[in-house]
Amino acid sequence: MATTQYRDQTVTTVGEPPAVGDPLIAFTLTLPDLADYSSDDLAGQRVVLNVFPSVDTRVCALSVRRFNELAAGLDGTTVVCISHDLPYALGRFCGAEGIDRVVTASAFRSTFGADYGLTMLDGPMRGLLARAVIVADADGIVRHVQLTESIGQEPDYDAALAALN
């Protein structure tokens, strides 16, 4: 199990995130219009998975906004922002914020959190996804993984971008 912090409490996850060099684990998520979105839709593209607990929290919203800005300069790359928020909430947030360069998708009816070792098992946010960034190359091989030390910490955007080069 991996760990992160929520305020002053250590929180464990259901497992470990994928390691650098591993193949990206297949997944199916739900888009704001309730359509399925799967890892098959990303074939041949570089991928950034921005995983977070809820778009209704400050740091999570900041990460979606920042990755939306960065995505404008990332040719051949798809950024997928993933949480357990309902698809409607993600759609509402993106519409209100003008988020249009990333894919926002819900893991609310998938095994994504368990498969990626990111579902939090304890603490006030148990059941939600821990904050992580996973970058894969166009061949679907993981090139960067960051499980943030604290849920309240933004991801290392520069490290994620460096992994794309």
Side-chain angles (χ1 to χ4, degrees):
M1 289 189 238
T3 61
T4 186
Q5 291 289 126
Y6 178 76
R7 297 187 179 151
D8 61 348
Q9 182 178 5
T10 299
V11 175
T12 56
T13 66
V14 297
E16 295 287 332
V20 171
D22 286 351
L24 201 61
I25 300 165
F27 59 81
T28 300
L29 303 166
T30 305
L31 296 172
D33 66 359
L34 301 179
D36 285 346
Y37 185 81
S38 79
S39 48
D40 292 341
D41 296 316
L42 301 166
Q45 301 174 53
R46 299 180 306 172
V47 177
V48 177
L49 302 179
N50 174 36
V51 185
F52 53 91
S54 175
V55 77
D56 286 325
T57 63
R58 185 184 68 79
V59 176
C60 298
L62 286 171
S63 74
V64 173
R65 287 183 197 111
R66 182 67 180 134
F67 274 117
N68 189 63
E69 292 169 5
L70 294 171
L74 299 176
D75 292 334
T77 303
T78 299
V79 178
V80 185
C81 296
I82 305 166
S83 72
H84 268 283
D85 289 301
L86 290 177
Y88 302 120
L90 292 170
R92 183 177 56 248
F93 174 82
C94 292
E97 296 286 330
I99 304 295
D100 58 0
R101 296 182 186 114
V102 299
V103 174
T104 54
S106 176
F108 86 112
R109 61 180 174 198
S110 80
T111 59
F112 178 88
D115 296 344
Y116 277 76
L118 295 174
T119 300
M120 292 184 277
L121 290 175
D122 45 30
M125 294 186 142
R126 69 185 168 276
L128 297 178
L129 301 173
R131 184 177 318 288
V133 173
I134 299 167
V135 177
D137 64 21
D139 295 321
I141 303 301
V142 174
R143 296 299 173 202
H144 169 77
V145 177
Q146 179 195 18
L147 174 63
T148 60
E149 290 181 30
S150 169
I151 296 300
Q153 169 189 350
E154 284 186 77
D156 185 341
Y157 304 106
D158 293 334
L161 293 177
L164 291 169
N165 297 326

